[in-house]
Amino acid sequence: MRVHVIGLGGAGGRIVDRLAADHHGDRFLQGVSAFDTDMASLESLQTLGPDRRYRFGDAAGGDRLDDDLHAGRELGRA
């Protein structure tokens, strides 16, 4: 089995960053990506390269969603 792990938000990004560090080179880990509205959170990741970090949120009018679940859903739809 091979998996691609996607981390959403600050905590999700940190989890996948750690997973990538702990399992670097393992065949089962096909890929790892992090998505966040906060660029600072993405930049703090230590293992994932820039090509695996994705910022979204411009459609929401700026940086971060401030824990607004409704805004996050709308952004996902957009």
Side-chain angles (χ1 to χ4, degrees):
M1 176 173 73
R2 293 185 182 160
V3 297
H4 187 112
V5 182
I6 297 172
L8 299 175
R14 289 188 301 277
I15 290 168
V16 298
D17 194 55
R18 179 62 186 260
L19 183 65
D22 290 349
H23 296 281
H24 180 71
D26 288 356
R27 291 186 60 194
F28 84 92
L29 192 57
Q30 187 68 30
V32 180
S33 299
F35 292 79
D36 202 330
T37 59
D38 181 18
M39 195 62 195
S41 291
L42 288 171
E43 289 174 348
S44 72
L45 302 177
Q46 298 176 5
T47 303
L48 295 182
D51 61 328
R52 292 286 165 200
R53 303 174 192 183
Y54 301 93
R55 180 176 181 267
F56 66 97
D58 292 333
D63 212 14
R64 303 185 58 102
L65 293 175
D66 295 323
D67 298 324
D68 185 344
L69 183 58
H70 179 70
R73 285 185 187 137
E74 291 302 313
L75 184 59
R77 286 185 188 110

